[in-house]
Structures are given as structure tokens and as C-alpha cells.
Amino acid sequence: INVIVGDKVEFDDSNRSTDPGETIITINNEGDTDISFTDNITNTFGDTRITNNGGDILVTSSYVVIETKKFNVDAVLGQVGTADAAIKIVAPIQTNSVELDASTSGDLHIEQLTGNLKVGQITSLVGGVHLSTAGSIIDADISDTTNITAKLIDLKSLSGTIGKLNNSLKIETQGAIAALNAIAAGSIF
């Protein structure tokens, strides 16, 4: 683990495990600065949780990739990724999917490079949600819970579907007009 931060006083990585089981990586910034990733995160067996209470969650280059089974990202007062530098995620080979839960006060830009994107709950208070995946964009469960809430929702499935016949992706555009853009190689439900 390589962590580069100004203040490492409360950072403790002594609780490392050599067992590749359900590893949880949690990154939490209580300050008012951005979280910027300069290198990959590889967490093929577990969940990755990133929370920034005072800034954005960004990547410094288009080569930074997060590989994880479940990705939970929360930018309380900021945005996640940008139009020019989306947060890129990769599905582990074992699951061929990533489950995504996210909330932000601004825009959210996620690009999944491999596998299916399973959407739990994604909320943008005043911005847009922009999701792109190599596979399908599908509901993570069979509940009637709204999956995506935002003023603008932009979905791209390059080789799959958006939703499933028996489990559609549920969206809420908060009354905005022309707020959904959806492109899929397969069907849209």
C-alpha cells in the first residue's frame, strides 16, 4: 500500500491481511480537499468505499483504474470524476460485474471498461449521472427502489442492454425535461 497524503498521523495500515477474502478498502476524507487517484486500486475480492465530505473525487490520468467487486462512492459537496476524466472501473474476472452505489452533490462520471454494471442506488442532488459500460447496465436487485435520481441521466451500454425484461432500471429525473439519454447495443427496459 502506497499512500501519499500531507498528514498520515491517523493513517494505520498495520491491519493488513494476507488472505485474499472479502477485503474492504475504505478511504474517507473529512477535510475540504479533493481526493485524487494517481494509480490503480486492485481489490478483486472485496468492496471499495470512497467518501469525500468536502471536495471532489478525481483521477489524475485516463490510465487510473479501480478493480473491485462493489464500488461505493460519495462526494458530499463535490463531484465524482469529470467529463474529460471519468472514474474508470473494471469488473473482476470472478464476477464479471461491479455493483455501484453513489451519491454526489454535483456530476458523476463513471466508465466501466469490462463486464456488467449493477446499479444499486445513485443520486446526484443538482448534477447529472453519466454511466458508460462495456457490458449491460442492470438493476442490482429486484426491488422497486429507484436506481438513479438526477436532473440529467446519460447511460451507454456498448455491447449489452440497459435493464432487463423482468427487472427494468428505475430512474427519477426530478421533473426535468429531456433529461434521459440512453444508448444500448441491445434493448432498453
Side-chain angles (χ1 to χ4, degrees):
I1 296 174
N2 184 14
V3 177
I4 301 171
V5 294
D7 182 6
K8 291 185 183 182
V9 172
E10 293 187 41
F11 181 77
D12 178 13
D13 70 343
S14 62
N15 195 14
R16 293 187 207 180
S17 173
T18 57
D19 179 16
E22 294 287 327
T23 306
I24 297 173
I25 294 176
T26 301
I27 299 168
N28 186 17
N29 180 18
E30 296 290 335
D32 60 357
T33 58
D34 295 340
I35 294 174
S36 296
F37 292 97
T38 60
D39 208 344
N40 299 340
I41 294 176
T42 304
N43 186 17
T44 54
F45 296 102
D47 300 355
T48 303
R49 302 171 185 166
I50 303 168
T51 302
N52 193 350
N53 289 306
D56 300 331
I57 299 172
L58 306 167
V59 292
T60 58
S61 83
S62 61
Y63 299 106
V64 175
V65 174
I66 298 171
E67 181 178 7
T68 188
K69 188 171 70 172
K70 184 170 182 180
F71 189 45
N72 188 323
V73 60
D74 185 11
V76 176
L77 298 176
Q79 67 180 9
V80 176
T82 66
D84 294 330
I87 303 290
K88 293 184 179 171
I89 56 178
V90 175
I93 292 172
Q94 312 86 293
T95 61
N96 195 37
S97 66
V98 175
E99 184 174 334
L100 175 65
D101 288 291
S103 65
T104 177
S105 60
D107 288 336
L108 176 115
H109 297 270
I110 301 280
E111 180 182 354
Q112 183 165 336
L113 303 176
T114 62
N116 296 320
L117 182 60
K118 294 181 175 181
V119 177
Q121 290 185 311
I122 299 173
T123 302
S124 172
L125 295 178
V126 296
V129 170
H130 309 272
L131 303 176
S132 174
T133 185
S136 294
I137 301 173
I138 55 178
D139 189 346
D141 59 39
I142 58 170
S143 74
D144 288 332
T145 305
T146 301
N147 299 107
I148 303 172
T149 302
K151 294 191 183 299
L152 172 66
I153 299 171
D154 182 28
L155 307 173
K156 293 179 188 156
S157 170
L158 302 178
S159 67
T161 66
I162 296 176
K164 291 182 178 179
L165 178 61
N166 58 351
N167 192 13
S168 62
L169 198 65
K170 291 156 279 303
I171 63 166
E172 171 57 54
T173 58
Q174 301 168 326
I177 298 173
L180 173 64
N181 300 308
I183 299 170
S187 298
I188 299 174
F189 301 98

